[in-house]
Amino acid sequence: MALDISPFDGPIGAEVSGIDLARPVAAADQKVLEDAWNAHAVLVFRGQTLEPADLVRFSRGFGALEIHVLDQYLHADHPEILVVSNIQENGEPIGIYDAGRYWHSDLSYLAEPSRGSVLYAIEIPEEGGETLGNTLWAHAGAAYEALDDGLKARLDGLEAAFDLGKRFQKLVDDGDADAAMTDEQIKKTPEVVHPVIRTHPVTGRKSIFVNIGHTTHILGLPADESQAILEELWAHCIRPEFVYRHKWREGDVVMWDNVPTQHLAICDYALPQRRLLHRTTLSGDRPY
Ligand code: SIN
C-alpha cells in the first residue's frame, strides 16, 4: 500500500496510512513524513505494532532524542522512552501518571525545548464503548494568526519565564500530595526565558509559545498585566477551531511538532482502568 497523508478538517492534524513503522522508513517516505509533520503539526498512524527499539528507530529518523529529566519514568532498556502510565507495580507508578494534565509544549521549561514528540498507545482505558484518556492538541500558529494586529504588535519582542516547578506546584495545589521533584531534577531545570511568540525553524510560521503548564510570567510587566495577557493567550490558543481531539486506539502512534502546538491529556480514568503509552521526545533548538 502506498504512503498516504490525509489532512483533517481544520488547521491541525493528518492521518498517515500505508506505512509500517516497525520497519525502517525508506528515504523518500521519510521526506514525505517530514514535510507532512511540518505542514500539519500532528500526524496519526493507526494499527501499528512496535517494539520499544522500533519506536526509538522511527523517532530518531526525525532527529536526536532526549533522555527525559524525570528519570524515574524512563524505560528500563531504552532510556529514550518515557513511560506514560497510571499502572502501578509493587505500589509504585511504572510511568509518569500525570503527564500532560495541563496544556503545555514538551520541555518548554528547557533552554532548548523539544522539537517534537512521538507517542505509542499500548493500553487504553475505555468505558461503555468510549475510549478514555483522550489527548487534545491545539495549533498555536493558527491561534497566533487569528490575533488582531494590535495584540500582535503588543506581543512582538516580549519574553516570558518558564519553569517545570510550576507544573509540580499546580499538581500539589490540585491535591496531589506525592508530586515532587528531586533536588537533582530541580538543579537541572532552572527557570528559562523564551519569546512569547516564536518562529518555526523550518516553516518560518509564528506561533504563541506561552503555555499554562510551564509559563510563569512575562518579563518586564507588572504581575497583573502579565497574568491578564497570559490568560488571554492561553484561552485563545485552545479555542475549539484550533483543537484536534485524539481518541486513542491501541496501536496508534501520534507524532507532533512541539513548536506550533500545545497539548493536554484528559485524566478521566482511574485504576483498574489502565493506560500505558511510550513516548520519545525529539531535541530542539533555542526558540527565536
Ligand atoms: C504528554 O504530555 O506527552 C502525554 C500526553 C498523553 O498522555 O496523552
Side-chain angles (χ1 to χ4, degrees):
M1 212 165 75
L3 182 62
D4 181 67
I5 313 285
S6 301
F8 299 147
D9 288 340
I12 181 165
E15 181 157 341
V16 183
S17 56
I19 188 161
D20 176 1
L21 303 185
R23 300 160 71 98
V25 176
D29 288 349
Q30 182 68 31
K31 170 83 176 94
V32 172
L33 293 180
E34 285 198 21
D35 289 349
W37 180 46
N38 288 318
H40 305 295
V42 174
L43 299 181
V44 175
F45 305 77
R46 299 278 193 185
Q48 303 292 323
T49 306
L50 302 185
E51 294 300 324
D54 298 328
L55 178 63
V56 170
R57 185 193 55 246
F58 170 70
S59 306
R60 278 216 180 102
F62 296 86
L65 298 181
E66 293 283 335
I67 307 295
H68 202 282
V69 64
L70 299 177
D71 48 5
Q72 67 271 43
Y73 303 125
L74 301 179
H75 189 285
D77 302 322
H78 296 273
E80 304 88 344
I81 292 179
L82 178 72
V83 178
V84 175
S85 185
N86 68 332
I87 298 169
Q88 299 199 352
E89 279 172 9
N90 305 319
E92 292 293 326
I94 64 161
I96 180 165
Y97 54 94
D98 50 23
R101 205 180 289 177
Y102 307 105
W103 283 99
H104 68 287
S105 172
D106 288 331
L107 312 190
S108 66
Y109 49 81
L110 295 184
E112 296 188 339
S114 165
R115 175 62 219 284
S117 306
V118 185
L119 195 56
Y120 171 51
I122 298 165
E123 287 187 66
I124 295 297
E126 59 166 63
E127 195 169 73
E130 282 295 311
T131 64
L132 303 175
N134 296 174
T135 308
L136 279 63
W137 280 269
H139 203 303
Y144 172 77
E145 285 151 15
L147 293 175
D148 68 58
D149 288 345
L151 184 52
K152 280 184 186 158
R154 168 125 182 68
L155 297 173
D156 189 32
L158 288 183
E159 292 181 314
F162 293 66
D163 191 344
L164 179 60
K166 179 180 185 196
R167 168 181 173 278
F168 278 88
Q169 191 52 51
K170 245 189 217 299
L171 291 169
V172 172
D173 294 347
D174 289 352
D176 184 347
D178 293 336
M181 292 167 76
T182 64
D183 290 346
E184 189 61 22
Q185 289 165 348
I186 292 170
K187 228 188 292 162
K188 278 187 182 164
T189 54
E191 180 182 284
V192 296
V193 170
H194 296 310
V196 170
I197 306 300
R198 74 177 288 190
T199 303
H200 195 283
V202 176
T203 65
R205 206 171 163 187
K206 287 186 176 181
S207 58
I208 297 167
F209 196 55
V210 287
N211 62 74
I212 196 167
H214 302 149
T215 310
T216 57
H217 62 280
I218 298 177
L219 273 54
L221 295 184
D224 55 346
E225 202 180 327
S226 157
Q227 191 61 22
I229 295 178
L230 288 176
E231 284 178 10
E232 181 177 350
L233 293 177
W234 294 335
H236 175 75
C237 277
I238 60 170
R239 276 171 31 186
E241 62 267 37
F242 307 131
V243 172
Y244 165 65
R245 182 181 192 116
H246 188 69
K247 295 186 177 187
W248 291 97
R249 291 182 217 150
E250 289 170 7
D252 284 355
V253 172
V254 177
M255 76 171 291
W256 65 94
D257 187 339
N258 277 309
V259 176
T261 67
Q262 301 183 8
H263 57 284
L264 171 76
I266 305 291
C267 199
D268 55 358
Y269 56 91
L271 289 172
Q273 294 163 323
R274 292 159 59 103
R275 188 172 189 267
L276 170 63
L277 303 98
H278 282 175
R279 189 184 101 188
T280 52
T281 315
L282 288 151
S283 301
D285 301 320
R286 186 173 278 277
Y288 56 91

